[in-house]
mmCIF file of all heavy atoms in Angstrom:
data_model
loop_
_atom_site.group_PDB
_atom_site.id
_atom_site.type_symbol
_atom_site.label_atom_id
_atom_site.label_comp_id
_atom_site.label_asym_id
_atom_site.label_seq_id
_atom_site.Cartn_x
_atom_site.Cartn_y
_atom_site.Cartn_z
ATOM 1 N N ALA A 1 116.383 101.800 109.235
ATOM 2 C CA ALA A 1 116.198 101.590 107.781
ATOM 3 C C ALA A 1 115.804 102.904 107.102
ATOM 4 O O ALA A 1 116.348 103.239 106.024
ATOM 5 C CB ALA A 1 115.142 100.532 107.513
ATOM 6 N N VAL A 2 114.851 103.637 107.670
ATOM 7 C CA VAL A 2 114.416 104.892 107.024
ATOM 8 C C VAL A 2 115.584 105.965 107.045
ATOM 9 O O VAL A 2 115.888 106.541 106.026
ATOM 10 C CB VAL A 2 113.197 105.494 107.759
ATOM 11 C CG1 VAL A 2 112.889 106.862 107.214
ATOM 12 C CG2 VAL A 2 111.972 104.527 107.616
ATOM 13 N N ASP A 3 116.258 106.094 108.203
ATOM 14 C CA ASP A 3 117.407 107.031 108.319
ATOM 15 C C ASP A 3 118.436 106.660 107.288
ATOM 16 O O ASP A 3 119.004 107.565 106.646
ATOM 17 C CB ASP A 3 117.969 106.995 109.727
ATOM 18 C CG ASP A 3 117.072 107.614 110.772
ATOM 19 O OD1 ASP A 3 116.213 108.490 110.366
ATOM 20 O OD2 ASP A 3 117.137 107.257 111.908
ATOM 21 N N ASN A 4 118.676 105.392 107.077
ATOM 22 C CA ASN A 4 119.659 104.947 106.138
ATOM 23 C C ASN A 4 119.280 105.363 104.681
ATOM 24 O O ASN A 4 120.086 105.821 103.906
ATOM 25 C CB ASN A 4 119.961 103.416 106.202
ATOM 26 C CG ASN A 4 121.104 102.982 105.424
ATOM 27 O OD1 ASN A 4 122.208 103.646 105.466
ATOM 28 N ND2 ASN A 4 120.995 101.872 104.775
ATOM 29 N N LEU A 5 117.980 105.126 104.331
ATOM 30 C CA LEU A 5 117.520 105.521 103.033
ATOM 31 C C LEU A 5 117.589 107.033 102.773
ATOM 32 O O LEU A 5 117.695 107.434 101.663
ATOM 33 C CB LEU A 5 116.130 105.041 102.855
ATOM 34 C CG LEU A 5 115.916 103.565 102.474
ATOM 35 C CD1 LEU A 5 114.440 103.167 102.517
ATOM 36 C CD2 LEU A 5 116.507 103.222 101.137
ATOM 37 N N LEU A 6 117.462 107.774 103.802
ATOM 38 C CA LEU A 6 117.447 109.266 103.670
ATOM 39 C C LEU A 6 118.811 109.875 103.512
ATOM 40 O O LEU A 6 118.980 111.042 103.208
ATOM 41 C CB LEU A 6 116.743 109.906 104.877
ATOM 42 C CG LEU A 6 115.295 109.586 104.949
ATOM 43 C CD1 LEU A 6 114.643 110.207 106.243
ATOM 44 C CD2 LEU A 6 114.497 110.133 103.771
ATOM 45 N N LYS A 7 119.914 109.030 103.673
ATOM 46 C CA LYS A 7 121.245 109.547 103.539
ATOM 47 C C LYS A 7 121.495 109.882 101.996
ATOM 48 O O LYS A 7 121.032 109.126 101.122
ATOM 49 C CB LYS A 7 122.270 108.490 103.979
ATOM 50 C CG LYS A 7 122.224 108.250 105.468
ATOM 51 C CD LYS A 7 123.219 107.215 105.858
ATOM 52 C CE LYS A 7 123.241 107.011 107.362
ATOM 53 N NZ LYS A 7 124.112 105.853 107.765
ATOM 54 N N PRO A 8 122.240 110.928 101.764
ATOM 55 C CA PRO A 8 122.532 111.358 100.403
ATOM 56 C C PRO A 8 123.057 110.244 99.495
ATOM 57 O O PRO A 8 122.769 110.140 98.313
ATOM 58 C CB PRO A 8 123.470 112.510 100.540
ATOM 59 C CG PRO A 8 123.215 113.030 101.890
ATOM 60 C CD PRO A 8 122.824 111.874 102.745
ATOM 61 N N GLU A 9 123.937 109.407 100.027
ATOM 62 C CA GLU A 9 124.529 108.347 99.314
ATOM 63 C C GLU A 9 123.559 107.225 98.890
ATOM 64 O O GLU A 9 123.869 106.446 97.999
ATOM 65 C CB GLU A 9 125.778 107.715 99.986
ATOM 66 C CG GLU A 9 125.451 107.053 101.336
ATOM 67 C CD GLU A 9 125.530 108.002 102.517
ATOM 68 O OE1 GLU A 9 125.444 109.267 102.391
ATOM 69 O OE2 GLU A 9 125.739 107.485 103.654
ATOM 70 N N ASN A 10 122.389 107.253 99.441
ATOM 71 C CA ASN A 10 121.364 106.232 99.162
ATOM 72 C C ASN A 10 120.193 106.849 98.338
ATOM 73 O O ASN A 10 119.101 106.218 98.255
ATOM 74 C CB ASN A 10 120.815 105.548 100.469
ATOM 75 C CG ASN A 10 121.943 104.785 101.119
ATOM 76 O OD1 ASN A 10 122.742 104.198 100.498
ATOM 77 N ND2 ASN A 10 121.948 104.825 102.452
ATOM 78 N N LEU A 11 120.381 107.965 97.769
ATOM 79 C CA LEU A 11 119.353 108.690 97.033
ATOM 80 C C LEU A 11 118.716 107.802 95.925
ATOM 81 O O LEU A 11 117.529 107.776 95.756
ATOM 82 C CB LEU A 11 119.895 110.003 96.400
ATOM 83 C CG LEU A 11 118.938 110.828 95.634
ATOM 84 C CD1 LEU A 11 117.792 111.358 96.523
ATOM 85 C CD2 LEU A 11 119.708 112.017 95.023
ATOM 86 N N ALA A 12 119.595 107.111 95.175
ATOM 87 C CA ALA A 12 119.089 106.273 94.032
ATOM 88 C C ALA A 12 118.149 105.198 94.575
ATOM 89 O O ALA A 12 117.088 104.914 94.017
ATOM 90 C CB ALA A 12 120.219 105.728 93.229
ATOM 91 N N THR A 13 118.574 104.564 95.663
ATOM 92 C CA THR A 13 117.701 103.455 96.282
ATOM 93 C C THR A 13 116.429 104.085 96.801
ATOM 94 O O THR A 13 115.388 103.491 96.562
ATOM 95 C CB THR A 13 118.521 102.790 97.352
ATOM 96 O OG1 THR A 13 119.735 102.241 96.831
ATOM 97 C CG2 THR A 13 117.674 101.678 97.997
ATOM 98 N N LEU A 14 116.481 105.267 97.445
ATOM 99 C CA LEU A 14 115.276 105.834 97.976
ATOM 100 C C LEU A 14 114.348 106.159 96.847
ATOM 101 O O LEU A 14 113.115 105.906 96.959
ATOM 102 C CB LEU A 14 115.686 107.143 98.729
ATOM 103 C CG LEU A 14 114.487 107.969 99.283
ATOM 104 C CD1 LEU A 14 113.667 107.124 100.289
ATOM 105 C CD2 LEU A 14 114.984 109.240 99.930
ATOM 106 N N LYS A 15 114.822 106.722 95.770
ATOM 107 C CA LYS A 15 113.959 107.081 94.595
ATOM 108 C C LYS A 15 113.269 105.762 94.091
ATOM 109 O O LYS A 15 112.112 105.830 93.782
ATOM 110 C CB LYS A 15 114.771 107.759 93.522
ATOM 111 C CG LYS A 15 115.004 109.187 93.681
ATOM 112 C CD LYS A 15 115.748 109.770 92.496
ATOM 113 C CE LYS A 15 115.980 111.218 92.700
ATOM 114 N NZ LYS A 15 116.667 111.850 91.608
ATOM 115 N N LYS A 16 114.042 104.675 93.990
ATOM 116 C CA LYS A 16 113.520 103.483 93.397
ATOM 117 C C LYS A 16 112.422 102.906 94.347
ATOM 118 O O LYS A 16 111.365 102.505 93.890
ATOM 119 C CB LYS A 16 114.681 102.475 93.294
ATOM 120 C CG LYS A 16 114.321 101.295 92.476
ATOM 121 C CD LYS A 16 115.588 100.468 92.190
ATOM 122 C CE LYS A 16 115.246 99.317 91.217
ATOM 123 N NZ LYS A 16 116.375 98.652 90.752
ATOM 124 N N VAL A 17 112.667 102.971 95.663
ATOM 125 C CA VAL A 17 111.663 102.440 96.605
ATOM 126 C C VAL A 17 110.408 103.254 96.524
ATOM 127 O O VAL A 17 109.323 102.759 96.506
ATOM 128 C CB VAL A 17 112.243 102.441 98.039
ATOM 129 C CG1 VAL A 17 111.127 102.217 99.072
ATOM 130 C CG2 VAL A 17 113.369 101.379 98.194
ATOM 131 N N LEU A 18 110.539 104.611 96.545
ATOM 132 C CA LEU A 18 109.378 105.428 96.484
ATOM 133 C C LEU A 18 108.592 105.327 95.138
ATOM 134 O O LEU A 18 107.365 105.166 95.148
ATOM 135 C CB LEU A 18 109.760 106.901 96.723
ATOM 136 C CG LEU A 18 110.239 107.249 98.111
ATOM 137 C CD1 LEU A 18 110.824 108.647 98.128
ATOM 138 C CD2 LEU A 18 109.102 107.079 99.129
ATOM 139 N N THR A 19 109.249 105.343 94.001
ATOM 140 C CA THR A 19 108.595 105.236 92.734
ATOM 141 C C THR A 19 107.990 103.834 92.475
ATOM 142 O O THR A 19 107.103 103.703 91.642
ATOM 143 C CB THR A 19 109.449 105.710 91.590
ATOM 144 O OG1 THR A 19 110.661 104.851 91.530
ATOM 145 C CG2 THR A 19 109.840 107.163 91.632
ATOM 146 N N TYR A 20 108.438 102.908 93.269
ATOM 147 C CA TYR A 20 107.861 101.517 93.216
ATOM 148 C C TYR A 20 106.447 101.538 93.705
ATOM 149 O O TYR A 20 105.624 100.621 93.411
ATOM 150 C CB TYR A 20 108.654 100.533 94.056
ATOM 151 C CG TYR A 20 108.315 99.097 93.846
ATOM 152 C CD1 TYR A 20 108.925 98.354 92.753
ATOM 153 C CD2 TYR A 20 107.468 98.461 94.668
ATOM 154 C CE1 TYR A 20 108.611 97.068 92.619
ATOM 155 C CE2 TYR A 20 107.128 97.126 94.504
ATOM 156 C CZ TYR A 20 107.683 96.379 93.467
ATOM 157 O OH TYR A 20 107.371 95.127 93.256
ATOM 158 N N HIS A 21 106.022 102.577 94.459
ATOM 159 C CA HIS A 21 104.738 102.660 95.008
ATOM 160 C C HIS A 21 103.819 103.641 94.279
ATOM 161 O O HIS A 21 102.760 104.052 94.773
ATOM 162 C CB HIS A 21 104.829 103.028 96.469
ATOM 163 C CG HIS A 21 105.507 101.997 97.244
ATOM 164 N ND1 HIS A 21 106.916 102.011 97.445
ATOM 165 C CD2 HIS A 21 105.119 100.896 97.852
ATOM 166 C CE1 HIS A 21 107.272 100.925 98.092
ATOM 167 N NE2 HIS A 21 106.192 100.224 98.358
ATOM 168 N N VAL A 22 104.209 104.026 93.037
ATOM 169 C CA VAL A 22 103.479 104.935 92.251
ATOM 170 C C VAL A 22 103.055 104.272 90.962
ATOM 171 O O VAL A 22 103.854 103.717 90.262
ATOM 172 C CB VAL A 22 104.313 106.245 91.954
ATOM 173 C CG1 VAL A 22 103.462 107.240 91.160
ATOM 174 C CG2 VAL A 22 104.785 106.912 93.263
ATOM 175 N N VAL A 23 101.767 104.363 90.644
ATOM 176 C CA VAL A 23 101.281 103.769 89.372
ATOM 177 C C VAL A 23 100.691 104.954 88.590
ATOM 178 O O VAL A 23 100.114 105.913 89.153
ATOM 179 C CB VAL A 23 100.331 102.584 89.572
ATOM 180 C CG1 VAL A 23 100.994 101.411 90.197
ATOM 181 C CG2 VAL A 23 99.126 102.989 90.337
ATOM 182 N N ALA A 24 100.739 104.831 87.286
ATOM 183 C CA ALA A 24 100.117 105.825 86.433
ATOM 184 C C ALA A 24 98.640 105.702 86.464
ATOM 185 O O ALA A 24 98.054 104.547 86.534
ATOM 186 C CB ALA A 24 100.575 105.690 85.001
ATOM 187 N N GLY A 25 97.913 106.831 86.417
ATOM 188 C CA GLY A 25 96.450 106.755 86.403
ATOM 189 C C GLY A 25 95.856 107.053 87.767
ATOM 190 O O GLY A 25 96.522 107.110 88.770
ATOM 191 N N ARG A 26 94.560 107.202 87.748
ATOM 192 C CA ARG A 26 93.809 107.542 88.974
ATOM 193 C C ARG A 26 93.013 106.266 89.277
ATOM 194 O O ARG A 26 92.128 105.863 88.490
ATOM 195 C CB ARG A 26 92.828 108.667 88.723
ATOM 196 C CG ARG A 26 92.167 109.211 90.008
ATOM 197 C CD ARG A 26 91.324 110.375 89.633
ATOM 198 N NE ARG A 26 92.187 111.387 88.978
ATOM 199 C CZ ARG A 26 92.423 112.579 89.488
ATOM 200 N NH1 ARG A 26 91.833 112.974 90.643
ATOM 201 N NH2 ARG A 26 93.236 113.410 88.889
ATOM 202 N N TRP A 27 93.329 105.592 90.356
ATOM 203 C CA TRP A 27 92.706 104.337 90.722
ATOM 204 C C TRP A 27 91.895 104.482 92.048
ATOM 205 O O TRP A 27 92.450 104.811 93.046
ATOM 206 C CB TRP A 27 93.828 103.235 90.929
ATOM 207 C CG TRP A 27 94.438 102.878 89.654
ATOM 208 C CD1 TRP A 27 95.557 103.451 89.114
ATOM 209 C CD2 TRP A 27 93.982 101.892 88.753
ATOM 210 N NE1 TRP A 27 95.850 102.863 87.922
ATOM 211 C CE2 TRP A 27 94.884 101.881 87.654
ATOM 212 C CE3 TRP A 27 92.950 101.003 88.777
ATOM 213 C CZ2 TRP A 27 94.743 101.015 86.584
ATOM 214 C CZ3 TRP A 27 92.816 100.086 87.721
ATOM 215 C CH2 TRP A 27 93.703 100.143 86.613
ATOM 216 N N SER A 28 90.632 104.310 91.932
ATOM 217 C CA SER A 28 89.761 104.324 93.139
ATOM 218 C C SER A 28 89.617 102.860 93.692
ATOM 219 O O SER A 28 89.966 101.910 93.081
ATOM 220 C CB SER A 28 88.444 104.838 92.802
ATOM 221 O OG SER A 28 87.731 103.921 91.944
ATOM 222 N N ALA A 29 89.071 102.823 94.910
ATOM 223 C CA ALA A 29 88.725 101.494 95.476
ATOM 224 C C ALA A 29 87.819 100.727 94.600
ATOM 225 O O ALA A 29 88.006 99.490 94.394
ATOM 226 C CB ALA A 29 88.146 101.707 96.889
ATOM 227 N N ALA A 30 86.853 101.368 94.008
ATOM 228 C CA ALA A 30 85.912 100.697 93.134
ATOM 229 C C ALA A 30 86.673 100.184 91.863
ATOM 230 O O ALA A 30 86.401 99.078 91.384
ATOM 231 C CB ALA A 30 84.800 101.603 92.651
ATOM 232 N N ASP A 31 87.591 100.921 91.319
ATOM 233 C CA ASP A 31 88.398 100.496 90.185
ATOM 234 C C ASP A 31 89.145 99.211 90.593
ATOM 235 O O ASP A 31 89.193 98.209 89.797
ATOM 236 C CB ASP A 31 89.413 101.539 89.786
ATOM 237 C CG ASP A 31 88.770 102.813 89.198
ATOM 238 O OD1 ASP A 31 87.619 102.718 88.670
ATOM 239 O OD2 ASP A 31 89.394 103.858 89.297
ATOM 240 N N LEU A 32 89.804 99.256 91.721
ATOM 241 C CA LEU A 32 90.611 98.135 92.169
ATOM 242 C C LEU A 32 89.759 96.859 92.316
ATOM 243 O O LEU A 32 90.140 95.805 91.904
ATOM 244 C CB LEU A 32 91.362 98.434 93.447
ATOM 245 C CG LEU A 32 92.455 99.377 93.408
ATOM 246 C CD1 LEU A 32 92.950 99.826 94.752
ATOM 247 C CD2 LEU A 32 93.577 98.920 92.528
ATOM 248 N N LYS A 33 88.605 97.083 92.965
ATOM 249 C CA LYS A 33 87.665 95.853 93.194
ATOM 250 C C LYS A 33 87.305 95.313 91.842
ATOM 251 O O LYS A 33 87.249 94.115 91.688
ATOM 252 C CB LYS A 33 86.486 96.334 93.976
ATOM 253 C CG LYS A 33 86.704 96.568 95.439
ATOM 254 C CD LYS A 33 85.443 97.035 96.175
ATOM 255 C CE LYS A 33 85.714 97.401 97.546
ATOM 256 N NZ LYS A 33 84.485 97.893 98.238
ATOM 257 N N ARG A 34 86.959 96.130 90.879
ATOM 258 C CA ARG A 34 86.460 95.676 89.593
ATOM 259 C C ARG A 34 87.629 94.926 88.853
ATOM 260 O O ARG A 34 87.420 93.811 88.435
ATOM 261 C CB ARG A 34 86.002 96.859 88.716
ATOM 262 C CG ARG A 34 85.528 96.488 87.390
ATOM 263 C CD ARG A 34 84.960 97.634 86.584
ATOM 264 N NE ARG A 34 85.683 98.905 86.703
ATOM 265 C CZ ARG A 34 86.832 99.179 86.098
ATOM 266 N NH1 ARG A 34 87.417 98.390 85.319
ATOM 267 N NH2 ARG A 34 87.405 100.427 86.281
ATOM 268 N N LYS A 35 88.820 95.445 88.890
ATOM 269 C CA LYS A 35 89.967 94.773 88.248
ATOM 270 C C LYS A 35 90.319 93.490 88.940
ATOM 271 O O LYS A 35 90.701 92.557 88.264
ATOM 272 C CB LYS A 35 91.198 95.745 88.201
ATOM 273 C CG LYS A 35 91.017 96.864 87.213
ATOM 274 C CD LYS A 35 90.980 96.302 85.815
ATOM 275 C CE LYS A 35 91.140 97.361 84.811
ATOM 276 N NZ LYS A 35 91.102 96.906 83.454
ATOM 277 N N ILE A 36 90.247 93.444 90.247
ATOM 278 C CA ILE A 36 90.555 92.214 91.007
ATOM 279 C C ILE A 36 89.473 91.166 90.604
ATOM 280 O O ILE A 36 89.817 89.995 90.393
ATOM 281 C CB ILE A 36 90.573 92.489 92.511
ATOM 282 C CG1 ILE A 36 91.778 93.314 92.859
ATOM 283 C CG2 ILE A 36 90.565 91.171 93.291
ATOM 284 C CD1 ILE A 36 91.747 93.864 94.287
ATOM 285 N N LYS A 37 88.227 91.574 90.575
ATOM 286 C CA LYS A 37 87.161 90.645 90.184
ATOM 287 C C LYS A 37 87.357 90.145 88.726
ATOM 288 O O LYS A 37 87.262 88.949 88.472
ATOM 289 C CB LYS A 37 85.736 91.314 90.312
ATOM 290 C CG LYS A 37 84.615 90.385 90.082
ATOM 291 C CD LYS A 37 83.297 91.107 90.344
ATOM 292 C CE LYS A 37 82.176 90.089 90.124
ATOM 293 N NZ LYS A 37 80.840 90.771 90.312
ATOM 294 N N GLU A 38 87.696 91.034 87.846
ATOM 295 C CA GLU A 38 87.904 90.705 86.409
ATOM 296 C C GLU A 38 89.113 89.685 86.303
ATOM 297 O O GLU A 38 89.195 88.920 85.448
ATOM 298 C CB GLU A 38 88.168 91.909 85.595
ATOM 299 C CG GLU A 38 86.970 92.774 85.322
ATOM 300 C CD GLU A 38 87.340 94.122 84.687
ATOM 301 O OE1 GLU A 38 88.465 94.313 84.261
ATOM 302 O OE2 GLU A 38 86.299 94.876 84.471
ATOM 303 N N GLY A 39 90.068 89.884 87.189
ATOM 304 C CA GLY A 39 91.286 89.056 87.177
ATOM 305 C C GLY A 39 91.187 87.830 88.053
ATOM 306 O O GLY A 39 92.212 87.269 88.433
ATOM 307 N N ASN A 40 89.925 87.446 88.397
ATOM 308 C CA ASN A 40 89.759 86.248 89.242
ATOM 309 C C ASN A 40 90.474 86.272 90.552
ATOM 310 O O ASN A 40 91.127 85.343 90.940
ATOM 311 C CB ASN A 40 90.051 84.946 88.438
ATOM 312 C CG ASN A 40 89.100 84.785 87.294
ATOM 313 O OD1 ASN A 40 87.907 84.979 87.392
ATOM 314 N ND2 ASN A 40 89.674 84.333 86.159
ATOM 315 N N GLY A 41 90.500 87.461 91.193
ATOM 316 C CA GLY A 41 91.088 87.641 92.488
ATOM 317 C C GLY A 41 92.418 88.282 92.530
ATOM 318 O O GLY A 41 93.017 88.481 93.617
#
């Protein structure tokens, strides 16, 4: 799977998969815990 994603013809898919794991802002564990609590879990 990884080797396939790294192929030049799969560049668009690779970018999409990687940027799917990036969020704007700086989020600490404390921030996440607070937001999860505020959102009822």
